[in-house]
Amino acid sequence: MSDTFDITETLDVKGASCPMPVVKTKSAVDGLDEGEILEVLATDPGSMSDIDGWAAGTDGVDLLDQVEDGDEFKHYIRKTT
């Protein structure tokens, strides 16, 4: 998947459970410039719905894709403003 997106930064939150993947994702996105893409690597299955819900309710971010890869969940988020 990383071949599809020009990833600016990768955030590894493997082993963290709710709400930490979302909390750390928000913090990492805040540090990005407009148009940059964050890849989030998680092992919490709940991160799929949690990050989706956070992105849907947050101005300035665009959830590009989510991928389940075995026991790892990958999220791709672009900062839009």
Side-chain angles (χ1 to χ4, degrees), residues 7 9-14 20-26 28-29 32 37-44 47-48 51 54 63 65-67 72-78:
I7 296 168
E9 183 178 325
T10 298
L11 174 65
D12 185 343
V13 292
K14 292 183 272 187
M20 291 315 294
V22 171
V23 170
K24 291 184 179 210
T25 296
K26 182 199 178 305
V29 166
L32 296 178
I37 296 174
L38 175 68
E39 174 185 51
V40 181
L41 307 176
T43 51
D44 179 6
S47 68
M48 295 296 275
I51 290 179
W54 168 77
L63 181 60
D65 199 7
Q66 293 183 298
V67 177
E72 186 174 79
F73 304 91
K74 300 177 182 180
H75 313 273
Y76 299 89
I77 302 158
R78 176 183 300 137

Side-chain angles (χ1 to χ4, degrees), residues 49-69:
S49 61
D50 293 345
I51 290 179
D52 181 41
W54 168 77
T58 302
D59 290 334
V61 298
D62 196 11
L63 181 60
L64 302 174
D65 199 7
Q66 293 183 298
V67 177
E68 184 175 348
D69 185 13

